Amino acid sequence: METRQLLAFTTVVQTGSFTKAAATLNCSQPTITTRIKALEETLGVPLFRRLPRGIQMTSAGVELLPFARNIITLTDKARKAITMNGEPHGKLVIGSAQSLTDYRLLPLIEYMCWRYPSVQISLHSRNTQTNLASVREGRLDCAFFIGSVEPREGLETTVLCPEPLVMVAGPTHALTRRSVITEDELRGSTLIRAENGASYYEQFEQALGLQEAEAKSPVLALDSIDAAKRAVASGLGISLVPEVTVAAELADGRLCRLPWVPPFRVYTQFAWRQDNSSNPSVTALVSAAAQVVSEQVATPA
């Protein structure tokens, strides 16, 4: 059973005819027929029924199809890995929290593009749980996220830096005049959620007992750091966000830091599947992320 035979088989399935498959693969129709017959002889079963109006896969063909596609994909990956001599290359699909995409990762992406031009990067901003689930399922190669340090099933993780959180309000908000803020006062304020699905916000709600119906606070869910900052600055409520996302606003007075410190710590982390640890592109990204993020933390903007 040869890869070219499997490729002929999958192309016939895709195009619906031997003639179209030959055109797609830039070879003659008899060549396609010969390869399909050789594959059928090797397996000892017919893969197609020849009908007056075309062809139809047999049950054996249906069963073979996903295996054939996997073999072709793996063969292509192996060929590229060998010809690139371990140099990072190919497509790298990355998930990230929006706050990290906007305030931590752009210098990293720039570095990767210059250092590894053969790596094609695709970056998607989604919430932490969706990102980590997508990494486990193979829909993402890796993901950056903010959260507590804990084992995560099926994943390798590395901590890049602590990610301080800060509770902010607009300059005219009543809580900015307080030297101490109680949890009851926080529960009584309108909370602006900047990133839906952020694990640090879930930890915040747990710390304040906000899951209980009687303790519910008014929540304005915007799912955008920039929109949340504008809403907070205008006095609509208060928000817990990564400090790096509001450093400029705190410095120029558009936002004020409230005197409340979360009773938990979170970290910016990088996660990838355990069976993807030998991927040269993932390895290069881990190394570059550690370098770039450490420089950011050492010399904040």
Side-chain angles (χ1 to χ4, degrees):
M1 186 164 55
E2 301 176 3
T3 303
R4 62 180 182 173
Q5 295 169 352
L6 295 173
L7 183 59
F9 167 68
T10 58
T11 307
V12 169
V13 173
Q14 179 184 350
T15 60
S17 81
F18 282 57
T19 302
K20 291 179 181 179
T24 300
L25 296 177
N26 196 27
C27 62
S28 67
Q29 189 269 339
T31 297
I32 295 295
T33 300
T34 299
R35 291 177 182 176
I36 295 296
K37 284 183 177 179
L39 182 58
E40 290 176 327
E41 289 174 2
T42 299
L43 297 173
V45 291
L47 300 174
F48 294 103
R49 295 187 186 92
R50 280 68 172 177
L51 305 174
R53 295 186 177 181
I55 57 173
Q56 182 182 59
M57 270 196 297
T58 63
S59 58
V62 172
E63 191 171 355
L64 174 64
L65 184 60
F67 294 102
R69 286 173 173 165
N70 285 339
I71 290 171
I72 292 168
T73 299
L74 290 172
T75 301
D76 185 57
K77 286 183 177 180
R79 185 181 297 113
K80 288 180 179 178
I82 292 170
T83 56
M84 292 295 292
N85 295 319
E87 181 72 13
H89 63 280
K91 190 173 183 180
L92 195 58
V93 185
I94 307 168
S96 173
Q98 188 227 341
S99 56
L100 294 179
T101 299
D102 293 348
Y103 295 93
R104 288 268 186 231
L105 299 187
L106 293 184
L108 170 61
I109 300 306
E110 181 181 3
Y111 174 87
M112 288 290 294
C113 289
W114 282 105
R115 177 66 179 81
Y116 303 107
S118 296
V119 176
Q120 303 169 28
I121 291 178
S122 177
L123 184 63
H124 304 270
S125 294
R126 303 173 182 136
N127 69 61
T128 296
Q129 295 306 318
T130 298
N131 280 334
L132 296 183
S134 296
V135 173
R136 289 189 184 94
E137 295 163 7
R139 288 182 283 117
L140 292 176
D141 293 305
C142 50
F144 293 89
F145 68 99
I146 299 172
S148 58
V149 177
E150 59 186 77
R152 298 181 187 274
E153 184 179 357
L155 300 177
E156 297 282 354
T157 61
T158 186
V159 172
L160 298 175
C161 68
E163 201 61 75
L165 301 174
V166 59
M167 184 70 75
V168 294
T172 61
H173 197 282
L175 291 181
T176 60
R177 297 187 290 272
R178 303 294 304 273
S179 58
V180 177
I181 294 177
T182 67
E183 293 185 354
D184 284 340
E185 288 173 317
L186 292 179
R187 282 189 285 264
S189 302
T190 297
L191 302 175
I192 297 176
R193 185 182 297 158
E195 294 182 286
N196 282 329
S199 60
Y200 64 80
Y201 199 89
E202 293 175 1
Q203 290 175 268
F204 168 66
E205 290 186 330
Q206 290 173 2
L208 266 63
L210 296 180
Q211 293 87 354
E212 302 171 11
E214 63 273 13
K216 285 287 186 182
S217 301
V219 174
L220 178 59
L222 297 178
D223 201 21
S224 163
I225 288 287
D226 289 340
K229 289 194 292 186
R230 290 194 294 270
V232 171
S234 67
L236 291 180
I238 62 177
S239 186
L240 182 69
V241 293
E243 186 172 0
V244 68
T245 66
V246 291
E249 289 81 3
L250 291 174
D252 64 21
R254 282 177 288 166
L255 295 176
C256 298
R257 181 194 305 265
L258 297 181
W260 182 82
V261 178
F264 55 88
R265 298 188 69 185
V266 294
Y267 302 81
T268 287
Q269 300 173 65
F270 181 71
W272 65 99
R273 274 196 330 278
Q274 291 172 343
D275 62 1
N276 208 22
S277 296
S278 60
N279 184 326
S281 296
V282 172
T283 302
L285 185 61
V286 173
S287 176
Q291 176 182 335
V292 171
V293 173
S294 66
E295 291 174 357
Q296 286 180 337
V297 174
T299 56

